[in-house]
């Protein structure tokens, strides 16, 4: 019986939906199903009752859920405890970051932190929010800069940092490239490149929400999930893309970036950035880093 199998079972038990649980864990539903099936086979009991529409816990499943929550929680606490001891001895800070903060936030705060605390070893892990959170909870990260969830885990503490500005990436040959700002009506006939929602839900929903209050339907095409791929598709004149402003730092010929009109402030609030860490764990290096973040935040957020 593996710890990962237990985490998979807990996710399905919480969501009562394999698809939602798989998205939460950033896994394929088929892979998640295999983990749970192997767990049931090893135990020799049914933990879940499955139908075409519903998933429910069996009586054995409910009993097992209480036990495995304690096991996983205890294991995570044990790992965090000894990793904390290691950090205190070695002076290490492990930071998780999404692509936006890797470009906009990490460079200035890292420079300032190294000047003030040169003996602390910094490790940076860049990934999606859905992959960084489990690493933070299991003690493999000390601090993460991510998109905050609507419902925050009770074991985590967070601080909102800023909202990112939004731009339209468009070929410099397109008439919209000459505008000072764009509105929804300007985008009605333009194919808009979006990532798969399963991979990048914030980026995908950003475009849809922009059209939500207009009586228009966006022309969506899904041909890339990474920012660099999408920008290259824009350069090839395949379509436009609604993106966070930090992508303007990508130097690429044939692409122009036009700000979104100020009237769409509600859409901008779909791109929040927060600092998140495990609640109740004292960490001097992390606290020193958050002091640097507080000091540099006004300058950083003005460029985002």
């Amino acid at each position: 019986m593996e710890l990962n199998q237990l985490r998979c079972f807990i996710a399905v038990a919480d969501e009562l939906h394999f698809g939602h649980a798989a998205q939460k864990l950033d896994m394929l539903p088929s892979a998640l199903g295999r983990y749970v099936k192997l767990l049931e086979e090893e135990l020799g009991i049914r933990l879940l009752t499955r139908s075409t529409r519903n998933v429910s816990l069996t009586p054995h499943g409910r009993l097992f859920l209480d036990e495995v929550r304690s096991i996983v929680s205890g294991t995570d606490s044990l790992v965090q405890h000894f990793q904390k001891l290691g950090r205190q001895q070695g002076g290490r800070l492990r930071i998780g970051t999404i692509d936006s903060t890797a470009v906009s936030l990490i460079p200035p705060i890292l420079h300032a932190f190294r000047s003030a605390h040169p003996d602390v070893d910094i490790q940076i892990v860049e990934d999606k929010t859905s992959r960084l959170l489990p690493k933070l909870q299991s003690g493999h990260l000390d601090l993460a800069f991510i998109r905050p969830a609507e419902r925050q885990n009770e074991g985590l503490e967070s601080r909102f940092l800023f909202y990112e500005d939004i731009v339209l990436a468009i070929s410099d040959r397109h008439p919209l490239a000459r505008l000072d700002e764009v509105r929804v009506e300007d985008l009605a006939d333009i194919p808009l490149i979006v990532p798969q929602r399963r991979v990048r839900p914030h980026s995908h929903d950003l475009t849809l929400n922009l059209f939500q209050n207009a009586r228009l339907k966006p022309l969506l095409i899904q041909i890339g999930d990474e920012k660099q791929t999408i920008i290259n598709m824009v350069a090839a004149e395949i379509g436009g893309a609604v993106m966070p402003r930090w992508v303007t730092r990508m130097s690429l010929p044939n692409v122009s970036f036009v700000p979104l009109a100020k009237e769409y402030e509600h859409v901008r609030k779909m791109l929040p950035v927060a600092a998140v860490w495990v609640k109740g764990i004292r960490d001097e290096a992390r606290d020193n880093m958050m002091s640097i973040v507080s000091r540099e935040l006004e300058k950083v957020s003005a460029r985002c």
Side-chain angles (χ1 to χ4, degrees):
M1 186 164 56
E2 299 177 1
L3 193 61
N4 196 37
Q5 291 174 327
L6 301 184
R7 293 189 192 279
C8 289
F9 169 68
I10 291 172
V12 176
D14 286 343
E15 300 292 333
L16 294 179
H17 191 287
F18 274 86
H20 295 165
Q23 184 175 350
K24 182 178 178 180
L25 296 174
D26 200 26
M27 297 174 62
L28 291 174
S30 57
L32 178 60
R34 283 195 299 273
Y35 274 115
V36 175
K37 185 177 180 181
L38 287 171
L39 180 60
E40 290 179 319
E41 290 176 352
E42 185 172 352
L43 295 172
I45 57 173
R46 291 287 298 276
L47 300 172
L48 299 166
T49 300
R50 307 160 177 82
S51 69
T52 54
R53 294 187 178 182
N54 298 306
V55 177
S56 60
L57 287 164
T58 67
H60 284 133
R62 285 192 290 272
L63 291 172
F64 189 69
L65 179 61
D66 292 336
E67 296 293 335
V68 298
R69 282 196 197 279
S70 298
I71 292 171
V72 172
S73 176
T75 302
D76 288 346
S77 296
L78 185 64
V79 170
Q80 290 165 7
H81 174 69
F82 281 94
Q83 288 179 337
K84 178 185 175 182
L85 293 178
R87 290 197 302 274
Q88 290 172 343
Q89 294 173 358
R92 181 180 61 175
L93 183 62
R94 299 159 304 170
I95 300 174
T97 176
I98 57 175
D99 52 8
S100 291
T101 49
V103 173
S104 61
L105 179 65
I106 294 295
I109 66 171
L110 194 58
H111 176 75
F113 186 87
R114 285 196 180 281
S115 297
H117 308 281
D119 295 333
V120 177
D121 178 35
I122 302 290
Q123 298 175 9
I124 305 293
V125 177
E126 182 180 345
D127 213 329
K128 302 176 181 66
T129 294
S130 61
R131 292 178 179 171
L132 292 174
L133 278 175
K135 294 176 182 177
L136 184 66
Q137 291 170 289
S138 62
H140 290 89
L141 292 174
D142 309 310
L143 177 65
F145 298 107
I146 60 172
R147 303 280 184 216
E150 292 182 6
R151 295 179 298 171
Q152 182 175 296
N153 186 295
E154 292 182 358
L156 299 177
E157 191 168 343
S158 70
R159 178 188 169 189
F160 168 78
L161 299 180
F162 54 82
Y163 294 111
E164 293 189 75
D165 274 330
I166 299 166
V167 298
L168 172 72
I170 194 75
S171 165
D172 61 3
R173 298 188 183 92
H174 196 282
L176 289 184
R178 296 189 288 273
L179 297 182
D180 294 327
E181 61 181 21
V182 292
R183 293 178 169 78
V184 175
E185 294 77 12
D186 300 323
L187 309 178
D189 300 321
I190 297 176
L192 295 174
I193 305 166
V194 296
Q196 296 182 64
R197 193 180 191 283
R198 178 182 64 82
V199 179
R200 293 187 178 275
H202 283 89
S203 296
H204 181 276
D205 292 348
L206 183 67
T207 302
L208 293 181
N209 193 271
L210 183 59
F211 282 78
Q212 190 173 37
N213 296 323
R215 295 181 180 179
L216 297 169
K217 185 176 180 180
L219 302 175
L220 302 184
I221 50 178
Q222 294 182 343
I223 54 176
D225 294 327
E226 301 302 326
K227 300 290 194 304
Q228 188 64 56
T229 303
I230 292 174
I231 290 293
N232 276 285
M233 296 302 102
V234 171
E237 300 186 58
I238 292 174
V242 178
M243 308 184 79
R245 190 172 73 172
W246 70 264
V247 300
T248 61
R249 303 184 190 189
M250 293 183 178
S251 178
L252 197 68
N254 308 324
V255 177
S256 291
F257 299 97
V258 187
L260 197 64
K262 296 298 183 184
E263 64 197 69
Y264 301 108
E265 185 68 18
H266 69 288
V267 179
R268 182 172 178 259
K269 290 185 177 180
M270 290 190 66
L271 290 181
V273 172
V276 183
W277 59 92
V278 176
K279 187 182 295 184
I281 293 182
R282 297 180 61 185
D283 189 322
E284 184 179 355
R286 181 201 66 206
D287 292 344
N288 288 335
M289 175 60 81
M290 285 306 301
S291 295
I292 298 289
V293 170
S294 299
R295 192 183 74 196
E296 300 291 325
L297 187 58
E298 185 176 351
K299 290 186 288 185
V300 171
S301 59
R303 298 194 295 267
C304 295

